[in-house]
Amino acid sequence: DKSEWMMKGLLLTCLLCLSISWLEAQEMTVKRERVFTGTGLYGYMNGGAEQFLEYGVTKLTARDLEYNGEEYALEIYEMPTPEDAYGIYSLHVFRCQRADTLGCIDCLSPYQQQTVCGNRYVSLVFPSGSERAKQQADAVLRHFLSGEEAEKVEFPVAFQSLSPKSGTLKFLRGKIGLSEVSSSLTHMLEGIQYTGVWFVEEDDQYRAVVCFETPDQLEALRKKLPVGQIRNTGDLFLECVGKEDENDSEPDGLFGF
């Protein structure tokens, strides 16, 4: 019945963030662990840290692991908010083989599983790409992400029903991320202060929810947009649609970065 179905749904919440560790400590070998904070990210990421710093990353814990005959590289990025964690995650997921399962925000690609757990963005790379490595990935993540219940991402009403969100919905904090996904919206927001942009591209059209700190900032964007492009507004957000000036192909790396 309906109540039984709802109960099952509640039980299938994000297993990655449960308080129970599903692996015994002796089964997991941590071959190396490194912790980076602030500008220390620059040396580790070889110039790719600016994007993470735009989302306010505070700490990175990197571990080289071995479990049941498989090698893994685990990176846990601690961000100020769940939205920041989702934002940096949203710029790194492409062509998911499996997405947003069991109530989680996650993406499984041939050599990597990525997820958002509270204010943490997590990347688990398994270079072998074997079926065993994939099957064990969830258990490896649960082992390191067990703990208190994690705060969930607050999605705008306009995108709450979107499923899956991974690989489709992006959250952009600033110019670096925005310029990677939309040249026309980047130009439109030039000179306007905003706190974040939720962005979905549909064919050559985009739909965006732009968030602001003050009504004056919202009004500045409203004045620049044709009336036909404005879908909805609130006290501190504006939902709009538009067309891209040019189509840029999405990056696609070996691990799905």
Side-chain angles (χ1 to χ4, degrees):
D1 59 12
K2 184 176 180 181
S3 61
E4 182 180 358
W5 180 87
M6 291 178 65
M7 181 61 67
K8 289 181 179 179
L10 290 173
L11 292 174
L12 292 177
T13 53
C14 188
L15 296 178
L16 298 178
C17 302
L18 288 176
S19 60
I20 301 174
S21 175
W22 290 61
L23 295 178
E24 296 295 333
Q26 62 268 25
E27 296 178 332
M28 181 73 62
T29 301
V30 179
K31 301 170 70 175
R32 182 167 62 157
E33 177 174 308
R34 292 155 291 166
V35 177
F36 304 89
T37 58
T39 55
L41 288 166
Y42 282 98
Y44 177 78
M45 302 180 68
N46 295 322
E50 289 87 354
Q51 186 184 77
F52 283 79
L53 293 173
E54 186 171 66
Y55 287 89
V57 61
T58 57
K59 180 181 178 182
L60 163 62
T61 302
R63 297 184 178 98
D64 297 332
L65 312 170
E66 183 177 348
Y67 173 63
N68 197 22
E70 293 289 343
E71 302 284 337
Y72 296 90
L74 176 67
E75 296 178 344
I76 301 177
Y77 296 85
E78 298 181 27
M79 317 298 292
T81 69
E83 289 71 37
D84 290 306
Y86 179 84
I88 197 66
Y89 164 88
S90 71
L91 293 180
H92 288 79
V93 293
F94 303 96
R95 301 179 183 177
C96 305
Q97 295 178 329
R98 187 193 75 194
D100 299 354
T101 54
L102 298 180
C104 295
I105 296 296
D106 67 350
C107 173
L108 177 68
S109 54
Y111 298 92
Q112 182 185 33
Q113 184 163 340
Q114 299 173 84
T115 189
V116 176
C117 184
N119 68 332
R120 294 172 288 182
Y121 159 59
V122 184
S123 165
L124 182 69
V125 172
F126 33 92
S128 74
S130 70
E131 284 304 312
R132 182 170 65 176
K134 289 181 183 179
Q135 292 170 4
Q136 295 178 168
D138 283 330
V140 173
L141 288 173
R142 284 195 296 265
H143 179 71
F144 288 99
L145 297 180
S146 62
E148 69 281 355
E149 183 178 353
E151 183 181 355
K152 293 186 177 181
V153 181
E154 292 188 11
F155 295 104
V157 173
F159 298 124
Q160 283 181 1
S161 62
L162 183 65
S163 181
K165 295 178 175 64
S166 295
T168 303
L169 177 63
K170 294 179 171 60
F171 179 64
L172 314 160
R173 271 295 186 205
K175 293 182 179 179
I176 297 175
L178 187 62
S179 63
E180 291 184 11
V181 302
S182 176
S183 58
S184 59
L185 194 55
T186 298
H187 298 151
M188 185 64 68
L189 289 171
E190 189 68 34
I192 297 176
Q193 293 183 341
Y194 54 90
T195 59
V197 179
W198 297 92
F199 180 91
V200 170
E201 187 173 8
E202 301 164 341
D203 298 323
D204 62 343
Q205 303 283 325
Y206 67 79
R207 184 157 58 112
V209 173
V210 186
C211 305
F212 305 91
E213 282 189 351
T214 69
D216 290 344
Q217 297 165 356
L218 186 155
E219 191 61 28
L221 177 59
R222 188 204 300 269
K223 290 179 179 178
K224 294 180 70 172
L225 285 170
V227 175
Q229 287 186 230
I230 299 175
R231 287 282 183 88
N232 190 20
T233 60
D235 292 337
L236 293 174
F237 77 87
L238 185 149
E239 180 185 352
C240 62
V241 296
K243 187 173 182 178
E244 285 301 328
D245 296 331
E246 58 186 35
N247 291 322
D248 297 322
S249 60
E250 288 186 330
D252 183 30
L254 175 63
F255 298 132
F257 295 132

Short mmCIF file of all heavy atoms in Angstrom, two decimals, residues 7 27 38 48-49 52 71 111 118 142 144 165 181 194 219 228 241:
data_model
loop_
_atom_site.label_atom_id
_atom_site.label_comp_id
_atom_site.label_asym_id
_atom_site.label_seq_id
_atom_site.Cartn_x
_atom_site.Cartn_y
_atom_site.Cartn_z
N MET A 7 7.37 4.10 3.35
CA MET A 7 8.36 3.64 4.32
C MET A 7 9.59 3.11 3.62
O MET A 7 10.73 3.38 4.02
CB MET A 7 7.75 2.55 5.19
CG MET A 7 8.71 2.02 6.26
SD MET A 7 9.23 3.33 7.41
CE MET A 7 7.66 3.66 8.25
N GLU A 27 40.00 -4.67 6.37
CA GLU A 27 39.82 -5.01 4.96
C GLU A 27 40.28 -3.88 4.04
O GLU A 27 40.44 -4.09 2.85
CB GLU A 27 38.35 -5.33 4.68
CG GLU A 27 37.84 -6.55 5.41
CD GLU A 27 36.38 -6.82 5.14
OE1 GLU A 27 35.65 -5.84 4.86
OE2 GLU A 27 35.97 -7.98 5.22
N GLY A 38 43.51 25.52 1.90
CA GLY A 38 43.79 26.82 1.29
C GLY A 38 44.62 26.75 0.03
O GLY A 38 44.36 25.97 -0.88
N GLY A 48 44.65 23.59 -11.36
CA GLY A 48 43.21 23.46 -11.46
C GLY A 48 42.46 23.89 -10.21
O GLY A 48 41.26 23.67 -10.11
N ALA A 49 43.16 24.51 -9.28
CA ALA A 49 42.54 24.82 -7.99
C ALA A 49 41.63 26.04 -8.04
O ALA A 49 40.76 26.19 -7.18
CB ALA A 49 43.62 25.05 -6.93
N PHE A 52 37.97 25.27 -7.82
CA PHE A 52 37.55 24.82 -6.50
C PHE A 52 37.52 25.97 -5.51
O PHE A 52 36.61 26.07 -4.67
CB PHE A 52 38.48 23.72 -6.00
CG PHE A 52 38.23 22.38 -6.63
CD1 PHE A 52 38.71 22.09 -7.90
CD2 PHE A 52 37.51 21.41 -5.95
CE1 PHE A 52 38.48 20.85 -8.48
CE2 PHE A 52 37.27 20.17 -6.53
CZ PHE A 52 37.75 19.88 -7.80
N GLU A 71 42.72 -1.11 -6.68
CA GLU A 71 43.30 0.17 -6.28
C GLU A 71 42.26 1.29 -6.45
O GLU A 71 41.51 1.29 -7.43
CB GLU A 71 44.52 0.48 -7.13
CG GLU A 71 45.62 -0.57 -7.05
CD GLU A 71 46.41 -0.49 -5.76
OE1 GLU A 71 46.41 0.59 -5.15
OE2 GLU A 71 47.04 -1.50 -5.38
N TYR A 111 35.39 4.82 -14.93
CA TYR A 111 36.55 4.71 -14.05
C TYR A 111 36.41 5.53 -12.77
O TYR A 111 37.40 5.72 -12.06
CB TYR A 111 37.81 5.17 -14.78
CG TYR A 111 38.15 4.34 -16.00
CD1 TYR A 111 37.67 4.70 -17.25
CD2 TYR A 111 38.93 3.18 -15.90
CE1 TYR A 111 37.97 3.95 -18.38
CE2 TYR A 111 39.23 2.42 -17.02
CZ TYR A 111 38.74 2.81 -18.25
OH TYR A 111 39.04 2.05 -19.37
N GLY A 118 26.39 15.91 2.11
CA GLY A 118 26.42 17.13 2.91
C GLY A 118 27.24 18.20 2.22
O GLY A 118 27.03 18.50 1.04
N ARG A 142 31.03 4.31 1.45
CA ARG A 142 30.31 4.25 2.73
C ARG A 142 31.29 4.15 3.90
O ARG A 142 31.05 4.71 4.98
CB ARG A 142 29.36 3.04 2.74
CG ARG A 142 28.10 3.24 1.92
CD ARG A 142 27.06 2.20 2.27
NE ARG A 142 27.48 0.85 1.95
CZ ARG A 142 27.18 0.21 0.83
NH1 ARG A 142 26.48 0.84 -0.11
NH2 ARG A 142 27.56 -1.02 0.63
N PHE A 144 34.17 5.51 4.28
CA PHE A 144 34.81 6.78 4.62
C PHE A 144 33.81 7.91 4.85
O PHE A 144 34.19 8.95 5.39
CB PHE A 144 35.79 7.19 3.52
CG PHE A 144 37.03 6.33 3.48
CD1 PHE A 144 37.15 5.29 2.58
CD2 PHE A 144 38.06 6.55 4.38
CE1 PHE A 144 38.28 4.49 2.56
CE2 PHE A 144 39.20 5.75 4.38
CZ PHE A 144 39.31 4.72 3.45
N LYS A 165 19.31 14.83 -11.66
CA LYS A 165 19.93 16.15 -11.67
C LYS A 165 21.39 16.06 -12.10
O LYS A 165 21.90 16.97 -12.76
CB LYS A 165 19.81 16.80 -10.30
CG LYS A 165 18.37 17.11 -9.89
CD LYS A 165 18.30 17.72 -8.51
CE LYS A 165 16.86 18.13 -8.16
NZ LYS A 165 15.94 16.98 -8.09
N VAL A 181 30.14 27.14 -18.96
CA VAL A 181 28.88 26.54 -19.40
C VAL A 181 28.01 27.45 -20.26
O VAL A 181 27.18 26.96 -21.02
CB VAL A 181 28.05 26.04 -18.19
CG1 VAL A 181 28.83 25.02 -17.38
CG2 VAL A 181 27.61 27.18 -17.32
N TYR A 194 25.98 38.53 -8.10
CA TYR A 194 25.03 37.46 -7.83
C TYR A 194 25.70 36.46 -6.89
O TYR A 194 26.93 36.40 -6.78
CB TYR A 194 24.60 36.76 -9.13
CG TYR A 194 25.76 36.26 -9.97
CD1 TYR A 194 26.26 34.96 -9.79
CD2 TYR A 194 26.36 37.07 -10.92
CE1 TYR A 194 27.33 34.51 -10.54
CE2 TYR A 194 27.43 36.62 -11.68
CZ TYR A 194 27.90 35.34 -11.49
OH TYR A 194 28.97 34.88 -12.24
N GLU A 219 17.13 43.66 -9.75
CA GLU A 219 16.55 44.66 -10.66
C GLU A 219 17.52 45.02 -11.77
O GLU A 219 17.11 45.28 -12.91
CB GLU A 219 16.17 45.91 -9.86
CG GLU A 219 15.33 46.91 -10.64
CD GLU A 219 14.00 46.32 -11.10
OE1 GLU A 219 13.48 45.41 -10.43
OE2 GLU A 219 13.49 46.79 -12.14
N GLY A 228 10.31 38.73 -22.53
CA GLY A 228 10.01 37.37 -22.93
C GLY A 228 10.96 36.33 -22.38
O GLY A 228 10.66 35.13 -22.41
N VAL A 241 15.16 32.38 -19.33
CA VAL A 241 15.54 31.47 -20.41
C VAL A 241 16.30 32.28 -21.45
O VAL A 241 16.20 33.50 -21.52
CB VAL A 241 14.32 30.79 -21.04
CG1 VAL A 241 13.62 29.90 -20.04
CG2 VAL A 241 13.36 31.83 -21.62
#
